[in-house]
Amino acid sequence: MSLSRSFSLLKNAIAPGRNWNQVRHDSHGAWTYRRLAVENVPKSHFMIRDGLMGFGIWWILWHLYHQPGHIVGEYDYPDPSKWTDAELGIPPDDEE
C-alpha cells in the first residue's frame, strides 16, 4: 500500500465524506483549506502585484545605492588613532 493511499484512508477515517480541498463559504466570504484560492482572480491582478513589488524593490535598492547616508549615517567617522590619552582618560605612564 502506498503512503498517499494510507494518508487518504486515515483522512477518511477521521472525517468521512469530507472534501479536504473544497472552497468553503461562510459569513466572512470564501476560504480554502490546504489549497490556493486563485481560481477567479484575473491575470491583470497578478501583473499589477508583480509590477508594484518590482517597483518597491527597485526604489529601495536605488536609494540604498545613491543615498547610503540614511543607513550608515551622514557624518565622517572619527579616527581613533588620532585621539590623545587625555581624551581617552588614560593616565600618563610615569604617574603612580
Side-chain angles (χ1 to χ4, degrees), residues 31-67:
W31 59 277
T32 60
Y33 178 73
R34 293 191 179 192
R35 187 173 65 162
L36 295 176
V38 294
E39 297 156 348
N40 297 325
V41 179
K43 188 176 181 180
S44 63
H45 288 194
F46 291 106
M47 293 171 65
I48 291 169
R49 177 202 64 188
D50 293 341
L52 288 173
M53 192 66 186
F55 176 76
I57 291 172
W58 169 82
W59 183 268
I60 291 169
L61 293 177
W62 176 267
H63 286 91
L64 283 175
Y65 181 75
H66 288 281
Q67 299 174 356

Side-chain angles (χ1 to χ4, degrees), residues 78-94:
D79 185 10
S81 65
K82 295 181 180 178
W83 294 342
T84 64
D85 288 343
E87 290 175 333
L88 294 173
I90 300 172
D93 291 335
D94 58 356

Side-chain angles (χ1 to χ4, degrees), residues 69-83:
H70 292 291
I71 302 298
V72 298
E74 297 182 1
Y75 55 88
D76 295 329
Y77 289 104
D79 185 10
S81 65
K82 295 181 180 178
W83 294 342

